[in-house]
Amino acid sequence: MSRLPPVSHATPVAAPPHRKSGGYGRPLALLASLFFMWGFITVINNTLLPHLRSVFELDYTQTTLIESVWFIAYAVASMPSAFLIERVGYKRAIIIGLLIMAAGALGMVPAARIPSYEITLLALFVIACGIALLQVAANPYVAVIGPPESSESRLTLVQAFNSMGTFFAPYFGGYLILSRTTGGNSLEGAQLTAAERLADAQATQLPYVMVAAVLVIIALVFWRAKLPALGAATRRAHASERTTVPLWKLWAHPIYKHRNLAFGIPAIFIYLIAEIGVANLFINFAILPEIAGITPAKAANYLVLLWGGMMVGRFAGAFIMRAFPANKVLAVYASAAFLVMIGAATLHGPVAMWCLILVGLCHSIMFPAIFAMGIKGLGPLTEEGSGLLIMAIAGGALVVVQGWLADTVGLQNSFWLTVACELYVLFYALWGSKPTNALPPEELREPAQP
């Protein structure tokens, strides 16, 4: 019988009363490199999708299916990642995740040489599995590395480096992929010859070889680094101290007695539908004659502004949340996102494109704020809670639904799905994020992991 992750009955250990984050500055900076890299690699997809659309002559549904496969990997890999972390520790799990990502990046080379749509899907799936492992390890680590009252601010600050990666990725992908291909310099509707499509497909080899090399270097740095380990309050209990809950009793699992987690899981799922739908259809939206009527290569430059807004919003949000409650800040950002998405779904011309750009600023704090609020007070259930929240990133796979809507009712009308997503995030900020059954604050212990 399929079963949920086991329930821990370990007694949580309270944090020292004057725990400070100053001693973890260097590990935090090192972890920021992980956030940068997975943001960078994820957003390369935003330039890769319109590229592959012309190479393989795909419709919107087939194009967004590529991104769906990417996010299905989160559903497949997240809970196994939590169990792997328990067995090998956070440091080794991070190294394994980086090497898995490097292997997937190298898989893009044969996918481009053949070229093969199916091998491309497999390679991207492998990369995403590696990122899922990093997410399960790094997000809760950052959340508990300092005082509990500033966890949302700290995670938002480090997520700003994720957005820095997303900011530079469109330049990288636009220059090394779109600007060097025939499809990337052609207007919407242009037909490519078989030889042009083959040449365009092979343009993805160099960028992914470069990415693989950087990932291996970062893995070597982590291998030599000393990282503090999570303490007893966030470590799962020994197997003899756990019980299991059948999958059909899903909501009877004690982990769901924490309202902030129970509503946080769908909040992450639904938010990812919004973020990924906007990001991956932005170029296709901007090149429409009734919107901006520009080439994909030029649209990639505007995509930089969307991700740049997310980066600025996260740096600003990290400081704002030190002065104001995170749930209230999230409510303001969600309300703004709701308004600008209505503009993107109803207006025409460049103003509609700018509405879509502005939503990047509005989305900026959503993931880190929801995640940090979702695991607050979980104690020894932190790993399971983190795994479930990262698994909810699979919501990005439903971008294929927006692709189907774009084919059915039009690309602009498909953004009404995003409008609905912003409303749920607003609900979570106002009510769903309030903790219930909170356990004592998490603890870190000083000895470095092997």
Side-chain angles (χ1 to χ4, degrees):
M1 178 184 295
S2 299
R3 294 184 182 272
L4 271 180
V7 182
S8 169
H9 296 298
T11 301
V13 179
H18 300 293
R19 183 182 62 188
K20 296 181 180 179
S21 60
Y24 302 102
R26 293 184 66 181
L28 193 62
L30 189 57
L31 287 163
S33 69
L34 300 181
F35 285 78
F36 179 93
M37 280 307 300
W38 79 56
F40 184 90
I41 295 171
T42 299
V43 173
I44 287 179
N45 288 357
N46 299 161
T47 54
L48 185 66
L49 293 190
H51 165 74
L52 294 177
R53 183 167 182 253
S54 64
V55 167
F56 295 112
E57 298 182 308
L58 309 175
D59 59 24
Y60 286 125
T61 303
Q62 292 170 316
T63 302
T64 51
L65 179 61
I66 298 171
E67 193 73 351
S68 292
V69 167
W70 176 275
F71 285 96
I72 287 170
Y74 283 88
V76 172
S78 293
M79 291 314 300
S81 294
F83 291 114
L84 177 65
I85 292 167
E86 180 195 6
R87 292 185 64 85
V88 305
Y90 280 78
K91 178 179 174 179
R92 288 179 179 149
I94 287 171
I95 295 170
I96 292 170
L98 287 165
L99 294 178
I100 290 173
M101 291 168 63
L106 291 176
M108 290 294 288
V109 175
R113 281 186 173 275
I114 296 176
S116 169
Y117 177 72
E118 291 76 14
I119 295 178
T120 298
L121 292 178
L122 177 61
L124 292 174
F125 179 84
V126 172
I127 295 172
C129 284
I131 293 178
L133 176 52
L134 293 186
Q135 293 249 30
V136 174
N139 279 292
Y141 192 102
V142 172
V144 305
I145 204 170
E149 63 272 11
S150 62
S151 61
E152 295 93 347
S153 171
R154 189 167 49 256
L155 188 55
T156 300
L157 178 62
V158 180
Q159 283 279 352
F161 288 92
N162 175 274
S163 293
M164 189 179 292
T166 65
F167 176 77
F168 287 110
Y171 281 118
F172 181 84
Y175 177 74
L176 288 180
I177 298 177
L178 294 180
S179 68
R180 296 172 62 239
T181 61
T182 303
N185 289 284
S186 302
L187 293 173
E188 175 71 0
Q191 296 296 315
L192 274 63
T193 66
E196 288 172 334
R197 291 200 304 274
L198 178 61
D200 282 5
Q202 295 178 348
T204 61
Q205 294 177 84
L206 176 61
Y208 280 95
V209 169
M210 294 170 65
V211 166
V214 171
L215 290 169
V216 170
I217 291 171
I218 295 176
L220 290 173
V221 172
F222 268 88
W223 178 61
R224 295 184 59 85
K226 293 183 178 180
L227 297 177
L230 293 181
T234 55
R235 291 201 307 275
R236 296 169 61 201
H238 187 272
S240 63
E241 297 178 305
R242 304 181 205 149
T243 59
T244 55
V245 175
L247 188 61
W248 58 272
K249 290 186 177 179
L250 181 67
W251 292 102
H253 196 286
I255 201 169
Y256 291 104
K257 291 181 180 178
H258 299 270
R259 179 172 65 185
N260 50 312
L261 177 67
F263 287 99
I265 293 169
I268 291 286
F269 187 93
I270 290 168
Y271 161 69
L272 261 293
I273 298 173
E275 179 190 307
I276 302 307
V278 168
N280 284 284
L281 293 173
F282 177 86
I283 291 178
N284 291 302
F285 182 67
I287 65 178
L288 293 175
E290 65 271 25
I291 303 301
I294 54 180
T295 66
K298 290 182 178 179
N301 294 329
Y302 286 99
L303 180 62
V304 169
L305 298 178
L306 186 151
W307 291 113
M310 184 169 285
M311 178 179 64
V312 171
R314 282 180 173 170
F315 276 118
F319 291 98
I320 293 172
M321 283 190 286
R322 291 183 180 182
F324 300 95
N327 64 317
K328 292 183 179 179
V329 178
L330 179 61
V332 171
Y333 276 63
S335 299
F338 174 73
L339 293 176
V340 296
M341 282 311 306
I342 289 177
T346 57
L347 302 175
H348 295 285
V351 66
M353 180 184 71
W354 281 102
C355 284
L356 214 56
I357 290 172
L358 284 173
V359 83
L361 178 65
C362 302
H363 281 169
S364 58
I365 69 159
M366 290 187 181
F367 178 86
I370 294 169
F371 188 95
M373 290 189 287
I375 64 170
K376 183 160 286 187
L378 296 188
L381 297 173
T382 298
E383 287 179 12
E384 284 92 344
S386 174
L388 289 167
L389 286 166
I390 297 303
M391 186 166 63
I393 293 176
L398 290 188
V399 69
V400 71
V401 174
Q402 189 164 357
W404 175 80
L405 287 173
D407 286 327
T408 305
V409 299
L411 180 54
Q412 186 170 26
N413 284 330
S414 73
F415 286 116
W416 285 107
L417 175 62
T418 313
V419 173
C421 293
E422 314 296 358
L423 281 178
Y424 184 86
V425 176
L426 179 59
F427 156 77
Y428 183 73
L430 296 177
W431 188 81
S433 61
K434 296 177 180 178
T436 54
N437 299 303
L439 296 169
E442 298 83 355
E443 178 194 18
L444 282 175
R445 53 189 173 91
E446 297 291 341
Q449 279 189 326

